[in-house]
C-alpha cells in the first residue's frame, strides 16, 4: 500500500526520537498514577484503572452533566460527560491526563465541589 508524504516522512525520522518518545510515555504513566490516586480521594468520584491518556470515573451523589457544567463554568475545565454513551449505565465522566500542574489544579477544583 502506498502512504502519503507525511506518513513517509514520519517513518524516516521516527528512529531519531525514540528516547524522547520513551520519556514522554514515562511522564504520562507517572501523571496518570498521580491523577488516579488523587481522584480516588474525591468522595463523589470512583476512578477506573486505565492504560490510556484519560481516566473514566463513575460519579455518585450528583449528575455527571452537572459536574461537567460546574467545572467548566466555575474553573474553565473541560471534562467529557459519558453518561449518554451507548452501553454506559449511570453517570460517568472522562478526565484527560495532563501535566502535573494541570492535574493538581483539577484536583483542587474538584475538592471545592465536594
Amino acid at each position: 500500500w502506498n502512504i502519503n508524504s507525511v506518513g513517509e516522512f514520519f517513518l524516516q525520522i521516527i528512529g531519531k526520537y525514540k528516547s524522547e518518545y520513551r520519556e514522554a510515555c514515562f511522564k504520562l504513566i507517572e501523571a496518570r498514577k498521580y491523577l488516579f490516586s488523587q481522584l480516588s480521594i474525591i468522595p463523589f468520584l470512583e476512578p477506573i484503572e486505565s492504560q490510556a491518556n484519560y481516566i473514566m470515573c463513575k460519579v455518585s451523589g450528583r449528575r455527571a452533566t452537572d459536574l461537567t457544567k460546574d467545572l467548566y463554568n466555575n474553573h474553565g475545565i473541560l471534562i467529557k460527560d459519558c453518561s449518554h454513551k451507548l452501553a454506559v449505565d449511570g453517570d460517568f465522566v472522562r478526565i484527560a491526563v495532563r501535566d502535573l500542574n494541570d492535574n493538581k489544579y483539577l484536583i483542587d477544583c474538584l475538592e471545592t465541589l465536594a
Side-chain angles (χ1 to χ4, degrees):
W1 290 10
N2 292 333
I3 60 173
N4 63 29
S5 58
V6 174
E8 183 178 357
F9 177 72
F10 175 77
L11 290 174
Q12 290 173 356
I13 66 167
I14 191 167
K16 296 177 187 177
Y17 299 100
K18 192 179 274 189
S19 64
E20 288 89 345
Y21 176 74
R22 284 186 182 156
E23 184 178 336
C25 289
F26 178 73
K27 286 181 180 179
L28 173 67
I29 291 167
E30 292 303 309
R32 184 177 56 229
K33 285 179 187 176
Y34 169 80
L35 183 59
F36 183 88
S37 70
Q38 296 302 301
L39 289 171
S40 298
I41 297 169
I42 304 298
F44 54 86
L45 293 178
E46 182 183 328
I48 300 167
E49 289 283 351
S50 174
Q51 296 295 312
N53 63 346
Y54 64 86
I55 298 174
M56 280 286 267
C57 296
K58 182 171 178 59
V59 181
S60 60
R62 64 180 353 145
R63 295 184 48 202
T65 302
D66 295 336
L67 176 59
T68 57
K69 287 179 184 177
D70 288 345
L71 279 175
Y72 180 72
N73 291 332
N74 299 329
H75 304 285
I77 296 174
L78 290 172
I79 62 173
K80 176 78 173 162
D81 178 0
C82 296
S83 300
H84 304 292
K85 298 280 185 186
L86 292 176
V88 173
D89 186 25
D91 284 284
F92 288 85
V93 293
R94 186 178 72 197
I95 299 173
V97 177
R98 306 226 353 175
D99 67 27
L100 185 60
N101 290 333
D102 287 349
N103 290 342
K104 284 182 178 180
Y105 178 67
L106 170 66
I107 297 302
D108 290 344
C109 294
L110 286 168
E111 288 174 343
T112 68
L113 300 175

